Amino acid sequence: MTATLIWILVALVVIGLYLSWTAGRLDRLHARIDAARAALDAQLLRRASVAQELATSGVLDPAASIVLYEAAHAARQAEEEQREVAESELSQALRAVFAVPQQVEAVREAPGGEEAARELTEAVRRVPMARRFHNDAVRAARALRRHRKVRWFRLAGHAPFPMAFEMDDEPPAALVDRAA
């Protein structure tokens, strides 16, 4: 009888340690999602700021400046529910403005244009990476949260279910080709 109680107690301790380890792992994944989302937000803000700065610099023709400025401004001012759409529209505006390599060359030839084009190239390259890191962290957390043990023992606590950030983040070919 005593041996049985000891074994039951040992089993409960082992199960408790395992559940505690799983809850800690889930908590670390949620912290990773928060850090990745902050990095993604920073890259999106940087891209919109550089695009807006370029649009107001006078380097682009007036129509391209207006298109790029409005898309960048909308991306910077978008509410959380509309952020993915606004960022996708900025990506589309960037591709429209820099559809041809001659436009990129015209920007580079303008005073201060080389620096602006370099900053924009870096910004449009970093956004897909930051989004991929964020979505990978979300995918890992979702996979762990789907396990029965996490649901039955409510190991996720009150943390909201993580959502991926889906947007069109394809960079303009003329910018990427030139930098590569």
Side-chain angles (χ1 to χ4, degrees):
M1 178 83 167
T2 307
T4 305
L5 287 176
I6 290 173
W7 281 111
I8 290 172
L9 186 61
V10 167
L12 289 175
V13 167
V14 168
I15 290 170
L17 287 173
Y18 178 71
L19 291 175
S20 175
W21 175 79
T22 304
R25 181 172 166 227
L26 189 58
D27 186 52
R28 287 188 301 276
L29 282 172
H30 282 239
R32 190 171 127 205
I33 289 170
D34 291 342
R37 182 58 190 245
L40 175 61
D41 286 341
Q43 292 305 322
L44 291 171
L45 181 63
R46 182 171 184 251
R47 181 181 75 153
S49 297
V50 170
Q52 205 169 20
E53 186 177 310
L54 186 61
T56 59
S57 69
V59 173
L60 301 172
D61 63 88
S65 293
I66 290 171
V67 167
L68 194 57
Y69 181 84
E70 286 180 356
H73 181 71
R76 290 183 73 176
Q77 301 298 320
E79 296 293 325
E80 192 60 35
E81 302 84 36
Q82 298 298 319
R83 185 94 187 267
E84 294 172 352
V85 173
E87 294 295 346
S88 293
E89 288 173 355
L90 177 56
S91 295
Q92 292 165 1
L94 285 166
R95 282 197 307 272
V97 170
F98 296 105
V100 292
Q102 291 81 6
Q103 184 70 15
V104 177
E105 290 305 318
V107 169
R108 289 183 189 282
E109 290 170 1
E114 185 69 34
E115 179 70 20
R118 185 185 58 73
E119 283 184 37
L120 184 61
T121 301
E122 288 176 8
V124 299
R125 284 181 148 190
R126 289 180 178 161
V127 167
M129 288 188 294
R131 189 176 76 84
R132 197 171 311 121
F133 289 139
H134 175 267
N135 288 349
D136 286 346
V138 167
R139 199 173 302 114
R142 283 180 163 186
L144 185 57
R145 286 181 72 148
R146 281 192 204 106
H147 289 215
R148 275 189 221 131
K149 65 181 175 252
V150 173
R151 290 192 321 262
W152 288 351
F153 292 102
R154 300 178 191 261
L155 298 181
H158 297 290
F161 195 73
M163 300 302 289
F165 194 86
E166 297 300 332
M167 65 172 271
D168 174 6
D169 61 2
E170 185 179 335
L175 280 177
V176 176
D177 291 343
R178 167 80 176 165

